Amino acid sequence: LATLAAADLRGELLLHVDAVWTYGSPRVGNAAFARSFVDLALAQGVEPPSWRVVHYHDIIPRLPPRLEHFTNFTHVPLEVYYSAASSSFQVCHSSFSLRESDTCAASVNLVHCNMDDHVWYLNLTFEEDDFPSSCIDRSPVVALFHRPALWLAVSLPTFVLFVVGYRYCRKAALRETERKVPDLHEELL
């Protein structure tokens, strides 16, 4: 959300936005969005445009998954990749031709990732066990997302269906437009 908000503030409202810091951010756009995000920041003299912090096997920064010829989501630069114990980090520069650096988060296969690392950043935990009970939502829907296997079983198929449905609808809309264009041309003649 912070990445999208920064792009909107920089591009639409022409407000100056310093480098954005995100922790465990998912991929929010394609390569064209990432290029635009960088260009908007550079136009304001902001470099790097963002610091995207990733903790080891956090699953969220690897979503939506990179699937060639299916999804073209990519991260905006600049990634700061922390080790398992958060005792060391590596700054990874993105390349638009290579998409994301294969030496950082992209080097770990999605099946090895988990939600535990998503709630552990900079040696601080954000697990609900560490919060007062008044801050914890115990509703059944929220409880579902505390079970990683169940969360993946629900989320990934939903995401795949969304992408497939979106692509199908987009192709159908293009076919409909192509069908109508000759009709409009004939009407104008």
Side-chain angles (χ1 to χ4, degrees):
L1 192 56
T3 304
L4 296 172
D8 195 45
L9 292 170
R10 287 173 179 157
E12 295 297 318
L13 299 177
L14 305 176
L15 294 174
H16 180 82
V17 178
D18 286 329
V20 177
W21 284 81
T22 62
Y23 298 84
S25 174
R27 295 178 178 108
V28 296
N30 60 14
F33 172 80
R35 266 188 225 100
S36 177
F37 184 84
V38 170
D39 291 344
L40 289 168
L42 291 176
Q44 294 184 344
V46 177
E47 191 174 359
S50 69
W51 294 95
R52 195 172 44 77
V53 180
V54 177
H55 178 234
Y56 197 51
H57 287 172
D58 182 353
I59 193 169
I60 301 302
R62 292 158 175 96
L63 296 176
R66 294 187 311 172
L67 303 171
E68 288 300 316
H69 310 295
F70 192 66
T71 65
N72 60 355
F73 285 91
T74 190
H75 277 297
V76 298
L78 185 75
E79 179 180 356
V80 180
Y81 185 65
Y82 274 86
S83 66
S86 292
S87 58
S88 64
F89 67 90
Q90 175 181 350
V91 177
C92 306
H93 299 273
S94 299
S95 162
F96 294 119
S97 61
L98 298 174
R99 297 174 65 154
E100 297 171 24
S101 173
D102 288 330
T103 60
C104 287
S107 68
V108 180
N109 191 304
L110 185 64
V111 298
H112 300 293
C113 298
N114 58 64
M115 284 298 289
D116 292 339
D117 282 356
H118 186 63
V119 296
W120 188 267
Y121 270 81
L122 307 176
N123 285 326
L124 297 172
T125 181
F126 299 95
E127 287 193 87
E128 68 177 39
D129 295 344
D130 299 326
F131 283 65
S133 61
S134 60
C135 296
I136 299 170
D137 185 349
R138 299 277 184 210
S139 66
V141 173
V142 172
L144 170 72
F145 290 96
H146 292 281
R147 297 185 194 111
L150 210 50
W151 182 83
L152 280 174
V154 171
S155 299
L156 286 179
T158 302
F159 170 73
V160 169
L161 288 173
F162 168 77
V163 171
V164 169
Y166 171 78
R167 286 183 169 238
Y168 174 79
C169 291
R170 195 171 104 200
K171 286 179 182 176
L174 286 172
R175 282 193 301 271
E176 184 67 20
T177 302
E178 289 170 355
R179 188 184 65 74
K180 287 183 177 180
V181 168
D183 295 342
L184 290 174
H185 182 68
E186 288 173 15
E187 285 179 27
L188 293 173
L189 293 175

